[in-house]
Amino acid sequence: MPRFFGKRLGLSIFLVILGLSAWSQNADTIKRPDSSKSPFVRSMQQLGSDEAARSIIKFQDEQVSKRQRQLVDQIARTNQQLKIFLKKGIDTASIKNELEETRSSLEIVKEGVFVNKGTSQTHRNLTVSSAILTELINRMSSKKYQLDLYANGLIDFRDKLDSLQADTVLYHFPDDSLKIRKYQSRLRLVVKEFIPIDSSLNSSLNSIEGLQPEVDLMVYDLKSALEDVELYRKKLSEKNFKREFANIWGKVGFTRPFKQILKFSSSKESLLFGFYINDNLGKLLIIFILIILTTILISSIKKRLIQEGPMDPAFTGQLVIRYPFLSAMIIILSIFQFIFFDPPFIFSFFFWIISAIALTIIFRNYITPYWMTFWIVFIGLFILASADNLILQASRTERWLMAALSLSGIVYGSYILSGKQRQELREKKILYFIAFVVLLQAASLLANTFGRFNLAKTYLATGYVGLIIAILFLWTARLINEALTIASRIYKHPDRNLFYINFERVGNKVPGFFYVLLIIGWVVLIGRNFYSYKLFIGPLNAMITEERTIGNYTFTISGLIVFLAILITSMFLSRLVSFFASEPVATHETNAKNSKAGIGSWLLLVRIFIISMGLFLALAAAGVPLDRITIVIGALGVGIGLGLQSLVNNLVSGLFIAFEKPVNVGDHIEVNGKPGTMKSIGFRSSVVTLADGACLIIPNGDLLSQHLVNWSMAKDVKKITTKVGVAYGSNLENVKSILKNILADDDRILKYPAPSVVAKEFNSFAIDFELSCWVANMGEASNVTSNIIEKIDRDFRNAGIVIPFPQQELHIHTNPPETKS
């Protein structure tokens, strides 16, 4: 109950008590009338009614005042929130600038497609226009989303403020003038803060509401243009083998200056190239980092090979190390160009031409002049064909240029195939691709002559591009093979400069499936030149991205593919790390030198991290809800409780080994009295190479529960104890001096702790001495002991000291013969 109501109630009760007291004092002298007509009763009833009415009014006034304070506080808080929201704001100026840039980009796209169409559309123009429009739609849709989100936020603030101001309680004033002045001052302060913010709110709303229709209209125009372009592409693909123009010597239907065609083609290609570069800066950075790392790797191989001896001046089998940076560029650009999805032709062209120039420099003075000429000629034809492929509108001038390029490829390719220098070719498979070029250029010349312009242009570019890519891929595989062959020969153990890769495990050549992947990649790169490739990929992409539902769970085939791909990749990387960085089987001597060459027991943690990250990324990519993961974990808990205790024990023990490091890979240990070297530490079990060469597989739980002796924990230092006995009567001081000198003269024996020689005990046939010393490497303990024994025997013989051997004396007692009586 409110405090004021309590006060009023107490006062009312006090007045009632006073009234009752006065009535009771006069009760004996006054005759009690009828209670319904008594003045006293009526006065008391009236008093109660008045007090109740006043109490209700007071309560209502306090409720109104409380609600007013709440409203004023809410308005003040909303003003502050709105102020922060407006301060963050949205850059409408940049949106307007981007809107203008989009308009001008749209005008560039329309050129040759909707404006100055010419006799027929071209696949290249429509493909570039479609890519630009898709990028523009994505950008403007993003701006539209930002505008809509910001506008909705402003509208929400406006509605909230209007609803607070529309509350009638806010305009109820109390009867007390003092309270009115206090309330008025609070309102004045809120209004003073509200007016500029409200003005900014209205200004922002007007600005956003004026900008939204322009952005919406631009998105609509872009989508409409893209739909028209895709319709043109579809119609053009349906008549791919039909005549589009007159014969090359026939009448020209549409004329346009060739310089204008080059100008708008350059504008479109540059625009698309800039968009794609901006969208893939992260991937380009990855490519650059991979090139640097590969350069370091190849440079390390080259440095080590130079240390081994002089290099072959002809670089036979060593071409990869001639220019490490150029070799790294060829390998990385050829393999990792596939991380770029649906790149424009101009982007791929730069990848190919950079790799081709790098390979040309590597070829210098390596291949014969005949084949060097062949390579340079076809690079020139490739550059000209690629430049022609960047021209987006057909013209008679271009058709004659295309005919000249096709004819050049036919003539020169046929000359190469019929020549006698084929035996000099280092990669015989290139001949098949030269024949491929000749065939496609003949088809291009024929199609161009009889008016099939788009088909001719596709064949022209595909032929030369296919040859250059094929040669790059073949030499990529060859360079990798050379690098692996050299590395596996000169690196017998993992090395820090080569990122701990164990080349004995990798082998001296790339596996066969690598060539299969290169062939598939070549087919994909060639297929991108054909619109039918997109018609095939489009429905396939729609099928795998369509959402499907099982119960309450929604998924897509692409999500499942990504889930499996990430999971398999993480498992593969985990095994790859273990495969590359694992220690070789080695003796104590080699392990003494290389026991710390690898990453040791950290390998298990690295593998666990890779698999764990892969699992979480796979689940996130597949959109698996957290409650499903909880169910799986619960099921695993039940499985563990039922029968997987041993497995979990070994897994957890592996983690303890990895973190606590009671033993590392390469450590010299003893298990059950058997000496050996720790070869690997896995998830469930570890492998120990015994002294006799056998590999002992021990579950991690057993490895921790047994009495494990780790010699490497003490830096491989081992104590040697040798006993020797001398004959009684020997000069013990001389014996002790000789033994001390033997220990002091051996450099393999540590000076600290100092070696000791003590007379141990009297034996039955000798006085025993005990020699104690420490060696720095336990692998040499046996040799040191052997040398000590040899020196003791030699020095004792020289000094005339006898090392006795056990003897027993037999005393035979005979009884005298008995005398006969």
Side-chain angles (χ1 to χ4, degrees):
M1 183 179 294
R3 185 168 56 186
F4 74 90
F5 190 73
K7 291 180 179 180
R8 294 301 304 171
L9 179 61
L11 179 61
S12 301
I13 294 174
F14 177 71
L15 293 175
V16 171
I17 292 174
L18 288 178
L20 290 175
S21 299
W23 177 76
S24 62
Q25 291 176 0
N26 298 322
D28 294 336
T29 57
I30 300 175
K31 186 178 180 180
R32 182 179 299 174
D34 185 20
S35 60
S36 61
K37 299 177 181 180
S38 171
F40 175 74
V41 173
R42 287 196 297 273
S43 64
M44 292 302 296
Q45 290 176 345
Q46 185 62 40
L47 177 63
S49 298
D50 293 343
E51 290 299 325
R54 282 193 291 272
S55 297
I56 292 172
I57 291 172
K58 288 287 185 182
F59 176 74
Q60 290 175 347
D61 288 343
E62 287 295 333
Q63 290 295 315
V64 170
S65 178
K66 180 180 178 181
R67 176 61 181 162
Q68 286 177 340
R69 287 194 297 272
Q70 292 175 347
L71 286 172
V72 171
D73 290 341
Q74 281 185 306
I75 292 174
R77 284 196 301 270
T78 304
N79 284 342
Q80 290 298 322
Q81 294 172 358
L82 177 57
K83 188 176 181 180
I84 295 172
F85 186 78
L86 290 173
K87 188 175 291 185
K88 291 180 179 179
I90 188 171
D91 191 356
T92 55
S94 67
I95 294 178
K96 289 179 180 178
N97 291 335
E98 187 160 351
L99 195 60
E100 291 301 321
E101 292 176 359
T102 304
R103 287 195 182 97
S104 62
S105 298
L106 181 59
E107 293 302 317
I108 294 175
V109 170
K110 289 180 178 179
E111 187 67 37
V113 179
F114 304 105
V115 180
N116 297 320
K117 294 183 180 181
T119 305
S120 176
Q121 300 283 1
T122 65
H123 276 307
R124 286 286 303 138
N125 193 14
L126 295 177
T127 300
V128 172
S129 300
S130 176
I132 295 175
L133 288 172
T134 301
E135 178 64 27
L136 292 175
I137 289 172
N138 292 336
R139 296 191 173 198
M140 291 311 300
S141 295
S142 175
K143 297 300 180 183
K144 181 180 183 302
Y145 175 77
Q146 294 178 14
L147 280 174
D148 293 343
L149 188 65
Y150 187 68
N152 291 335
L154 294 176
I155 292 171
D156 289 342
F157 275 111
R158 167 57 66 201
D159 292 342
K160 188 174 183 180
L161 288 172
D162 290 344
S163 65
L164 291 173
Q165 296 175 21
D167 196 324
T168 57
V169 175
L170 196 64
Y171 308 102
H172 179 82
F173 296 95
D175 296 333
D176 190 347
S177 60
L178 180 61
K179 292 183 179 179
I180 290 177
R181 282 195 293 272
K182 289 182 178 179
Y183 180 57
Q184 189 177 17
S185 64
R186 292 191 65 190
L187 285 179
R188 188 179 294 112
L189 179 62
V190 172
V191 170
K192 185 178 179 181
E193 294 178 354
F194 173 74
I195 288 177
I197 296 176
D198 184 66
S199 176
S200 299
L201 174 61
N202 292 330
S203 176
S204 297
L205 275 173
N206 292 333
S207 176
I208 295 298
E209 289 174 352
L211 193 57
Q212 276 182 309
E214 295 184 47
V215 174
D216 292 343
L217 181 61
M218 177 55 65
V219 172
Y220 173 78
D221 290 342
L222 292 172
K223 289 183 176 179
S224 299
L226 181 60
E227 290 177 359
D228 292 340
V229 168
E230 291 299 324
L231 183 61
Y232 289 152
R233 293 181 72 184
K234 185 177 180 180
K235 289 182 178 179
L236 194 60
S237 65
E238 291 174 351
K239 55 179 183 179
N240 208 16
F241 293 94
K242 296 181 180 179
R243 179 188 293 273
E244 300 152 342
F245 298 92
N247 295 338
I248 196 169
W249 58 79
K251 183 179 179 182
V252 178
F254 172 80
T255 59
R256 187 179 185 183
F258 190 62
K259 289 184 178 180
Q260 290 185 11
I261 296 175
L262 293 178
K263 184 178 180 180
F264 94 79
S265 298
S266 175
S267 299
K268 277 193 180 183
E269 295 285 1
S270 301
L271 187 64
L272 180 59
F273 183 71
F275 284 158
Y276 199 80
I277 289 290
N278 187 64
D279 292 341
N280 292 274
L281 289 176
K283 293 180 179 179
L284 290 172
L285 179 61
I286 292 174
I287 292 289
F288 177 75
I289 293 173
L290 289 174
I291 290 175
I292 297 300
L293 293 177
T294 307
T295 302
I296 295 172
L297 181 67
I298 299 175
S299 298
S300 300
I301 296 174
K302 181 178 182 179
K303 183 178 179 181
R304 184 62 175 270
L305 186 61
I306 293 174
Q307 294 174 355
E308 294 282 327
M311 294 174 53
D312 183 0
F315 292 98
T316 304
Q318 301 174 355
L319 193 62
V320 64
I321 62 175
R322 185 181 187 184
Y323 302 107
F325 179 70
L326 298 181
S327 298
M329 278 205 305
I330 295 171
I331 293 171
I332 297 302
L333 293 180
S334 296
I335 294 176
F336 288 92
Q337 63 179 307
F338 296 101
I339 67 174
F340 298 94
F341 300 108
D342 198 18
F345 180 83
I346 187 172
F347 180 85
S348 299
F349 169 74
F350 278 103
F351 266 52
W352 299 329
I353 195 61
I354 290 172
S355 301
I357 293 173
L359 190 58
T360 303
I361 297 173
I362 293 175
F363 278 164
R364 187 170 54 89
N365 298 328
Y366 179 74
I367 61 177
T368 62
Y370 176 86
W371 288 107
M372 190 66 178
T373 303
F374 154 79
W375 173 242
I376 293 175
V377 168
F378 268 103
I379 284 182
L381 293 173
F382 161 73
I383 293 174
L384 292 175
S386 298
D388 176 75
N389 204 39
L390 298 177
I391 300 174
L392 303 181
Q393 193 170 39
S395 65
R396 184 58 57 89
T397 304
E398 184 189 3
R399 291 182 67 184
W400 283 111
L401 289 174
M402 289 170 56
L405 285 174
S406 298
L407 190 59
S408 299
I410 294 170
V411 173
Y412 191 66
S414 301
Y415 168 73
I416 294 295
L417 291 174
S418 60
K420 298 179 180 180
Q421 287 82 2
R422 289 183 296 177
Q423 300 301 323
E424 301 175 358
L425 191 61
R426 296 181 182 269
E427 287 289 348
K428 306 298 183 183
K429 303 181 186 68
I430 293 177
L431 295 173
Y432 296 105
F433 295 100
I434 297 175
F436 172 79
V437 170
V438 172
L439 181 63
L440 283 187
Q441 297 315 308
S444 174
L445 180 62
L446 187 64
N448 185 20
T449 302
F450 295 103
R452 277 71 174 175
F453 174 80
N454 286 291
L455 189 63
K457 194 165 188 174
T458 301
Y459 286 156
L460 175 70
T462 301
Y464 290 118
V465 169
L467 175 63
I468 298 299
I469 294 175
I471 294 175
L472 288 174
F473 279 0
L474 289 172
W475 276 95
T476 296
R478 179 163 183 160
L479 292 175
I480 295 175
N481 277 332
E482 287 185 358
L484 293 178
T485 301
I486 298 171
S488 62
R489 187 176 74 248
I490 63 177
Y491 283 94
K492 299 301 181 183
H493 304 289
D495 184 87
R496 177 175 61 84
N497 293 329
L498 290 182
F499 314 114
Y500 300 109
I501 297 177
N502 188 346
F503 285 97
E504 281 192 332
R505 303 293 301 276
V506 177
N508 59 4
K509 63 183 300 183
V510 295
F513 74 87
F514 184 76
Y515 291 96
V516 176
L517 293 178
L518 289 181
I519 293 173
I520 294 174
W522 183 81
V523 172
V524 170
L525 293 176
I526 295 303
R528 287 175 179 172
N529 294 312
F530 297 89
Y531 183 71
S532 55
Y533 173 81
K534 182 178 180 181
L535 295 179
F536 171 76
I537 293 296
L540 182 63
N541 184 52
M543 182 189 72
I544 63 177
T545 56
E546 182 183 357
E547 290 189 349
R548 292 169 171 79
T549 303
I550 297 179
N552 295 327
Y553 178 63
T554 302
F555 68 96
T556 61
I557 296 177
S558 62
L560 294 179
I561 293 174
V562 171
F563 173 82
L564 293 174
I566 294 177
L567 203 59
I568 293 172
T569 301
S570 63
M571 296 293 292
F572 175 74
L573 288 177
S574 172
R575 296 298 298 271
L576 198 65
V577 168
S578 177
F579 183 79
F580 280 178
S582 62
E583 294 288 340
V585 178
T587 62
H588 284 290
E589 288 75 10
T590 56
N591 256 318
K593 298 178 181 178
N594 299 289
S595 60
K596 300 302 177 185
I599 58 178
S601 60
W602 286 106
L603 184 62
L604 178 61
L605 293 180
V606 172
R607 293 184 63 194
I608 291 174
F609 174 77
I610 292 174
I611 292 177
S612 300
M613 289 300 298
L615 179 61
F616 283 113
L617 288 175
L619 292 173
V624 178
L626 186 60
D627 54 352
R628 266 67 171 184
I629 302 175
T630 307
I631 294 173
V632 173
I633 294 175
L636 288 176
V638 174
I640 292 170
L642 290 177
L644 299 178
Q645 298 96 332
S646 176
L647 176 61
V648 173
N649 176 39
N650 292 327
L651 293 175
V652 173
S653 298
L655 290 176
F656 279 124
I657 293 173
F659 281 104
E660 293 185 0
K661 301 192 183 316
V663 62
N664 285 318
V665 173
D667 283 355
H668 299 147
I669 63 173
E670 284 187 16
V671 182
N672 291 334
K674 297 179 179 180
T677 303
M678 181 60 68
K679 181 184 178 185
S680 65
I681 301 173
F683 290 113
R684 188 191 64 84
S685 62
S686 300
V687 179
V688 178
T689 303
L690 300 180
D692 58 3
C695 290
L696 178 65
I697 301 174
I698 308 173
N700 290 331
D702 296 343
L703 187 64
L704 287 181
S705 63
Q706 294 176 358
H707 295 291
L708 178 69
V709 178
N710 190 341
W711 291 102
S712 297
M713 234 179 212
K715 299 181 181 179
D716 284 341
V717 175
K718 185 176 182 179
K719 183 179 181 181
I720 298 175
T721 302
T722 306
K723 289 183 179 181
V724 62
V726 297
Y728 283 99
S730 301
N731 187 342
L732 299 185
E733 291 298 327
N734 188 27
V735 170
K736 200 170 185 178
S737 176
I738 292 173
L739 294 177
K740 285 185 176 180
N741 290 335
I742 291 173
L743 297 179
D745 291 342
D746 197 326
D747 294 335
R748 295 169 296 179
I749 296 176
L750 298 177
K751 307 303 179 185
Y752 182 84
S756 64
V757 177
V758 295
K760 190 71 174 178
E761 61 181 351
F762 290 103
N763 207 336
S764 59
F765 56 89
I767 298 175
D768 289 340
F769 280 81
E770 183 177 85
L771 293 77
S772 298
C773 63
W774 296 80
V775 292
N777 186 356
M778 65 167 293
E780 297 179 347
S782 299
N783 292 332
V784 173
T785 302
S786 175
N787 292 339
I788 289 174
I789 293 173
E790 292 172 0
K791 290 179 180 179
I792 289 173
D793 180 67
R794 181 194 65 198
D795 292 352
F796 276 14
R797 277 190 282 107
N798 293 337
I801 300 172
V802 177
I803 302 176
F805 52 87
Q807 301 181 47
Q808 287 185 345
E809 292 184 2
L810 297 177
H811 296 275
I812 302 174
H813 297 276
T814 57
N815 294 325
E818 295 181 359
T819 58
K820 296 182 179 180
S821 57

